[in-house]
Amino acid sequence: MAKKRVLITGGSGFLGSHLCDKYIHEGYHVICMDNLLTGSEDNVSHLFGNENFEFHKHDVTNYVYVKGDLDMVLHFASPASPIDYLEMPIQTLKVGSLGTHKVLGLAKEKNARFVLASTSEVYGDPNVHPQDEDYWGNVNPIGSRGVYDEAKRFAEAMTMAYHRFHGIDTRIVRIFNTYGSRMRLYDGRALPTFMRQALNGEPLTVYGDGSQTRSFTYVDDLVEGIYRLSMSDEIEPVNIGNPDETTIREFAEEIIEVTGSSSKIVYEELPDDDPQVRQPDISKAKRVLDWEPKVERRDGLIKTLDYFKEQVLRANA
Ligand code: UDP
């Protein structure tokens, strides 16, 4: 029997590339599409030569053409770190809006299931804690993060419209902070920045007083949650994340400890609209997907350390 075929947009990014591995492992033929704006071929180079893998360099804000049948489309293309949105605000808005529209059109044409990568950023700087899927959020549309938050909110609206109006089979995953191998050393997010600084013996730059909280998920847990959602019947959004919440100051201290570094912490200005708290309520994922994260943060950080050591060596070479 022919293999099922999945298109993964943003397939050579951090999450996209781990999804390529997962769906190949689950017996799919994977078509990875990426314009390499923030993704890297290095993340999927181990799959080149695999007969179940194809790479297409393409910007999904333009018309998307894929030859042959598709069973599923995972739409993961987007800049995804606050520094990226600051540097690429228009591309961020375009891929979440025009890109989502194009890829939904392709899913309709191919009669394929569509899975949208949404985000905890749809909740903005939340007034409800922890955040469950029924919370509508508190987003500043004109702030520097608004380009990402509003694009993803639009993408959710467009996805539901295609589901309701065109009968497309859709899924929406709201992804919380995730970490693991293949993050860019300079993507500006807390974890790669702290790892890089700690391994280089430089001060860790904590923004504000570090009392803001996040809840970090190890990439393997996230990928399993997304896979289960893609196989489920759940149309409405599902949070996937690890509810283990920490302050950013404690997180920086933990990275200093795990890396065995003698770095100190320095405090810098808090970026605009930086959410003060973030923690997923994952009751729904537990109920409908029988999913919950398995990897404790300390174990996940240790698993990720070798990757960052190698990246730091390369960068310093
Ligand atoms: N942060 C920090 N120092 C850094 C990078 C980030 O203190 O060098 C903080 C940032 O202000 C935020 C948290 O760490 O409160 C998580 O930031 P990240 O960019 O990883 O993702 P976000 O959850 O804000 O999208």
Side-chain angles (χ1 to χ4, degrees):
M1 205 178 73
K3 283 197 176 259
K4 291 202 168 193
R5 288 161 55 86
V6 58
L7 169 70
I8 305 181
T9 76
S12 55
F14 162 48
L15 295 182
S17 64
H18 283 284
L19 289 167
C20 288
D21 289 338
K22 174 69 175 173
Y23 283 81
I24 286 178
H25 179 76
E26 296 293 340
Y28 280 72
H29 181 89
V30 170
I31 301 163
C32 165
M33 188 172 279
D34 204 303
N35 67 351
L36 302 177
L37 187 65
T38 58
S40 164
E41 278 172 302
D42 290 350
N43 290 337
V44 287
S45 57
H46 60 287
L47 297 173
F48 290 158
N50 184 323
E51 61 181 8
N52 294 315
F53 180 78
E54 298 171 36
F55 176 76
H56 295 245
K57 184 167 185 291
H58 183 70
D59 176 348
V60 297
T61 63
N62 298 317
Y63 184 84
V64 183
Y65 173 75
V66 172
K67 203 172 165 192
D69 293 339
L70 280 178
D71 297 282
M72 191 157 26
V73 179
L74 306 180
H75 182 38
F76 276 68
S78 178
S81 103
I83 281 193
D84 291 341
Y85 338 139
L86 279 178
E87 287 174 359
M88 296 174 266
I90 297 176
Q91 287 100 324
T92 304
L93 277 162
K94 280 176 72 179
V95 73
S97 55
L98 306 182
T100 302
H101 184 219
K102 296 279 185 293
V103 178
L104 275 163
L106 176 74
K108 175 166 155 270
E109 171 67 26
K110 303 284 187 186
N111 201 14
R113 181 170 294 179
F114 176 86
V115 181
L116 174 69
S118 186
T119 167
S120 53
E121 286 281 332
V122 301
Y123 302 124
D125 189 5
N127 296 321
V128 165
H129 193 68
Q131 296 78 53
D132 66 25
E133 292 85 349
D134 294 333
Y135 178 49
W136 292 352
N138 177 37
V139 169
N140 173 6
I142 57 164
S144 54
R145 284 179 178 253
V147 296
Y148 183 65
D149 304 7
E150 296 296 7
K152 288 292 189 183
R153 290 169 68 95
F154 174 93
E156 288 199 6
M158 188 60 111
T159 300
M160 291 309 293
Y162 264 67
H163 171 70
R164 294 191 181 113
F165 190 74
H166 289 308
I168 304 296
D169 187 21
T170 56
R171 307 286 179 273
I172 298 175
V173 53
R174 290 190 180 147
I175 299 169
F176 284 66
N177 294 66
T178 304
Y179 66 96
S181 62
R182 304 184 192 157
M183 295 183 98
R184 282 180 295 135
L185 201 54
Y186 285 91
D187 85 357
R189 285 189 272 201
L191 182 122
T193 308
F194 293 164
M195 281 276 185
R196 189 188 78 235
Q197 292 165 334
L199 291 170
N200 281 324
E202 294 164 2
L204 275 66
T205 50
V206 166
Y207 299 158
D209 63 3
S211 62
Q212 69 273 34
T213 69
R214 295 292 187 274
S215 309
F216 293 92
T217 313
Y218 185 61
V219 64
D220 290 0
D221 280 334
L222 186 92
V223 163
E224 179 62 28
I226 292 169
Y227 181 73
R228 287 192 192 193
L229 176 62
S230 76
M231 297 298 144
S232 78
D233 294 329
E234 185 59 39
I235 302 289
E236 296 205 352
V238 180
N239 289 339
I240 299 286
N242 190 325
D244 186 7
E245 185 181 15
T246 176
T247 67
I248 292 300
R249 189 175 50 239
E250 282 163 354
F251 187 55
E253 284 161 0
E254 202 172 355
I255 290 185
I256 290 175
E257 194 258 317
V258 164
T259 53
S261 170
S262 54
S263 291
K264 300 278 176 281
I265 291 177
V266 291
Y267 294 90
E268 296 190 352
E269 199 182 333
L270 193 66
D272 287 347
D273 299 328
D274 200 282
Q276 272 308 298
V277 290
R278 183 180 291 155
Q279 183 190 32
D281 179 329
I282 58 165
S283 321
K284 185 171 179 184
K286 284 184 180 164
R287 195 176 68 247
V288 301
L289 308 177
D290 190 24
W291 174 89
E292 63 182 323
K294 301 256 181 299
V295 181
E296 304 261 349
R297 191 172 56 249
R298 199 171 186 289
D299 296 337
L301 291 177
I302 291 168
K303 281 172 186 277
T304 309
L305 188 56
D306 280 348
Y307 166 78
F308 279 104
K309 280 186 180 164
E310 200 186 302
Q311 293 301 304
V312 166
L313 277 178
R314 267 211 224 177
N316 294 345

